[in-house]
Amino acid sequence: MIEAGDLSRAAHRMIDNHGSRAASEAERRARNLLAFGETETAASWRQIASAIRRMRKTEHGNGAAGRIEPATASGAADG
């Protein structure tokens, strides 16, 4: 299980790096890991994909109020 802060940072980083393909990229990584028996890590990537989808839904549902800021704006890209 990923802690909330780490999950948010990972999701933001994926969005920064992959844009609209972020959730599908996280799911692809999960599938690849699962194929190699890495069930716990695959589950973490599925959590990241879910967080990305929630962020996108909030972004589209609330307009500017749900806007996702790039991770670099908060300094999270450094860690």
Side-chain angles (χ1 to χ4, degrees), residues 9-68:
R9 280 188 292 278
H12 278 101
R13 187 164 296 174
M14 288 296 289
I15 291 167
D16 288 345
N17 291 334
H18 300 281
S20 63
R21 296 181 1 258
S24 62
E25 175 63 19
E27 289 287 353
R28 185 190 66 78
R29 291 179 186 196
R31 285 191 306 274
N32 287 344
L33 287 160
L34 197 57
F36 287 97
E38 296 289 335
T39 56
E40 288 183 35
T41 309
S44 295
W45 278 104
R46 290 200 192 287
Q47 284 183 297
I48 294 167
S50 292
I52 292 166
R53 286 191 292 273
R54 282 192 307 273
M55 290 175 176
R56 290 293 189 199
K57 186 175 182 178
T58 300
E59 178 183 60
H60 295 296
N62 295 334
R67 180 165 163 66
I68 300 170

